[in-house]
Amino acid sequence: MMRALALAALMALSTPAPSGATGTVEVTPQDLLRARLTEMVAPCWAVEGLSPSARATVVTLAVEMTPEGQPRAETIRLLRARGDRYPADVAQAFAAARRAVLRCAGAGYDLPADLHPHWREVEMTFDANAHVM
Amino acid sequence: MLTRRSLIRSTAALTLASSLPLVPARAQTGPLRLEITEGVIEPLPFAVPRFIARNGGAADAAADITRVIAADLRGTGLFRQIPESAHISSVTAFDAPVQYNDWQAINAQALIVGEVEESGGRLIVRFRLFDVFSQQPLGEGLQFVGPREGWRRMAHNVADQVYERITGEGGYFDTRVVFIHEEGPKNARLKRLAIMDYDGANVQFLTDSRSLVLAPRFSPTGDRIIYTSYESGQPRVYLMDVATVTRRPLEAISAGDMSFSPRFTPDGGSVVFSMAQGGNTDIFRVSVGGGARTQLTSAPSIETAPSFSPDGSQMVFESDRTGGQQIYVMPAGGGEPQRISRGTGRYGTPVWSPRGDYIAFTKQEAGRFHIGVMRTNGSEERLLTASFLDEGPTWAPNGRVLMFTRETAGADGAPAVYSVDISGRNLQRVATPGMASDPSWSPRLT
């Protein structure tokens, strides 16, 4: 029964949906992994304490993950930043993003181990512009 | 029909898809890339175990300093203290390795560890700050040394450092506020100039209650205060030295003229103020050291409440030149004012943010008063408060928090000082020994 449900879900994911001018809809497992990880990291990204200019700074970090879903803290690095890009703002925005990744990991992010090659390396962009005062 | 949005939000779908060996995942061509745009608006949890007393004489100070640091951080609304009763680890030595797992287990994101030592009547306060989930220090350890009676300032200095390292902007705890202390019934109110720490501690009276005093403002260096006093029988601007509590009139004025609503220029060398002469009020500028005054506005209307941009190039003020009271910006040396307030209602008491990005103001509309902020061109107006009477905002030196006066309605109505974050959150009453109004926030003292 579960297998039949799973197969149906998979078919739903991989079957192009009919559409008009907007083209086809295709959702890949990478899309789902992306959504899942976003859901799990976002609750730990505390933007309240950041200065307005740090909130306006968009940072992208890279992190390597263990098969158990643990971010390797020593691999977290800042890839790029955009926005006002004052060094202090970038440092604060990066620190908050880094804390979010590490804090929400808990005993490891709940991601499918068989897909680990797809999430072993992750790049996360943190854009708090929706929160800018 | 399934939409892409609903699908990618479905955790259940991921679980099902990933349980199959035949998941048609694309070949791995690089890292998984994702974008997070929605964080959480919640205070950052921190732990501050009681600072260690290095010797017996430091025990009380260690407890007091820890308490003030925690209160400073909690008071911002940006931090949430994890009570000591929830701590798993106890810190027994300042340099002991941090048991990060114990602090992670109680969800502390920041850990503040410190010690206090008394030596020859002086206190030495040392602290370290740790990012618990990164398992690393946040900046270097620091120490402050000062007289025993200066323990509150040392606590504020530690809190300022913590705030700065976590938020990336300057703290505002080692600051003072000058305000008007009020006593007596509403129809016979006595007013005195007073000064206190930003959190209401260490109140000191600067004048007696024989003369009405109004609108005190700090100099950019925090060592002088400019205010309006009726001690000569007419409103007149006075200058006071905070350390010696000595005062003098800013300048001579003619009988029948009134000077009021003063504010320092950003370099502290001059004062701008309103002068009422012959039924008309304009804005003037005069050097603190004396000399001729310069008239900056010239209109048959009331121009008052001037405030400079931090770089000193522009001035914002209120005027009723178009009928209702509105806010205008003009070059600091005078020139054509541009109206920037465009909403309905009346606007007044504009104050330029120390960061230069916003102008705070009082707004009166439909029988209610508000404290609000707008960009310096008048855009993005946001009202932060609403009440029977809110007025007279003053900025914290980091441009993130405002204090203002709130007065309650009725014959027993009384003024009090409140603070609010520029997001509109964290509205708090500031502790004062009695009724208080017209606060002015000092710059950082260190």
Side-chain angles (χ1 to χ4, degrees), chain B residues 295-307:
Chain B
Q295 185 166 352
L296 301 179
T297 64
S298 181
S301 48
I302 297 175
E303 332 285 332
T304 189
S307 170

Side-chain angles (χ1 to χ4, degrees), chain A residues 34-35 98 103 114 123 125, chain B residues 8 18 32-33 36 109 134:
Chain A
R34 196 173 289 124
R98 187 177 197 276
R103 182 180 163 215
D114 54 341
E123 288 182 14
T125 297
Chain B
I8 63 175
S18 65
L32 181 70
R33 293 188 174 89
I36 298 173
Q109 290 199 47
S134 294

Side-chain angles (χ1 to χ4, degrees), chain B residues 73-137:
Chain B
L73 296 174
R74 283 197 316 268
T76 65
L78 303 178
F79 299 88
R80 175 173 62 82
Q81 184 182 11
I82 296 174
E84 200 152 0
S85 59
H87 296 183
I88 298 171
S89 270
S90 60
V91 177
T92 53
F94 180 63
D95 293 322
V98 174
Q99 303 301 312
Y100 287 111
N101 290 341
D102 288 346
W103 298 107
Q104 286 178 5
I106 60 170
N107 202 28
Q109 290 199 47
L111 171 67
I112 305 157
V113 173
E115 69 174 3
V116 181
E117 179 180 354
E118 187 189 39
S119 177
R122 296 175 74 77
L123 290 178
I124 303 168
V125 181
R126 303 182 183 90
F127 86 98
R128 299 169 73 193
L129 174 64
F130 298 93
D131 184 331
V132 171
F133 284 87
S134 294
Q135 301 199 355
Q136 58 189 18

Side-chain angles (χ1 to χ4, degrees), chain A residues 26 29-30 34-35 39 45 47-50 55 92 98 102-103 114 118 121 123 125 127 131 133, chain B residues 4 8 11 18 23 26 28 31-34 36 40-41 107 109 134 165-168 358 400 425:
Chain A
E26 183 181 349
Q30 283 94 337
R34 196 173 289 124
E39 282 180 356
W45 184 35
V47 297
E48 175 79 344
L50 293 175
R55 288 187 207 184
Q92 299 306 321
R98 187 177 197 276
L102 294 170
R103 182 180 163 215
D114 54 341
H118 295 277
E121 295 177 3
E123 288 182 14
T125 297
D127 181 350
H131 295 278
M133 288 177 290
Chain B
R4 179 185 177 90
I8 63 175
T11 303
S18 65
V23 169
R26 289 175 179 147
Q28 184 66 19
L32 181 70
R33 293 188 174 89
L34 55 98
I36 298 173
V40 289
I41 304 292
N107 202 28
Q109 290 199 47
S134 294
R165 293 178 188 192
I166 292 176
T167 70
Y358 284 102
R400 182 163 187 144
R425 290 187 286 272

